[in-house]
């Protein structure tokens, strides 16, 4: 994903939300909002897990190279 400033991401998110709101019922907006929250939480969890796995992998490689 290309680098974006936080303000640009907020503006894009707001524009998308307004477009969805113009064409969706209240129930659909609530459902989509909940779905997007779940997606966001899962992305956070996956990012943390990926970062920890990378740190662990690097530590294991460093440990192996120092044993040789």
């Amino acid at each position: 994903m290309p680098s974006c400033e936080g303000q640009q991401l907020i503006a894009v998110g707001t524009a998308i939300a307004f477009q969805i709101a113009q064409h969706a019922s209240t129930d659909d907006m609530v459902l989509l909002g909940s779905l997007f929250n779940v997606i966001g939480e899962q992305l956070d969890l996956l990012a943390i897990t990926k970062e920890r796995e990378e740190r662990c992998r690097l530590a294991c490689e460093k440990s192996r190279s120092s044993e040789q």
Side-chain angles (χ1 to χ4, degrees):
M1 181 174 181
S3 177
C4 292
E5 297 294 324
Q7 292 176 344
Q8 292 172 323
L9 289 174
I10 291 169
V12 169
T14 300
I16 291 169
F18 278 121
Q19 287 296 314
I20 291 171
Q22 288 180 348
H23 303 286
S25 69
T26 301
D27 288 342
D28 288 343
M29 287 189 286
V30 169
L31 179 64
L32 287 171
S34 296
L35 174 63
F36 294 147
N37 282 334
V38 169
I39 292 169
E41 290 171 2
Q42 291 301 317
L43 286 171
D44 286 343
L45 181 61
L46 291 168
I48 290 168
T49 303
K50 184 177 182 178
E51 181 180 306
R52 287 185 178 184
E53 287 176 352
E54 180 65 15
R55 276 191 266 143
C56 182
R57 184 186 64 76
L58 291 172
C60 288
E61 287 177 0
K62 184 177 180 182
S63 175
R64 287 183 192 139
S65 67
S66 66
E67 291 174 0
Q68 294 176 352

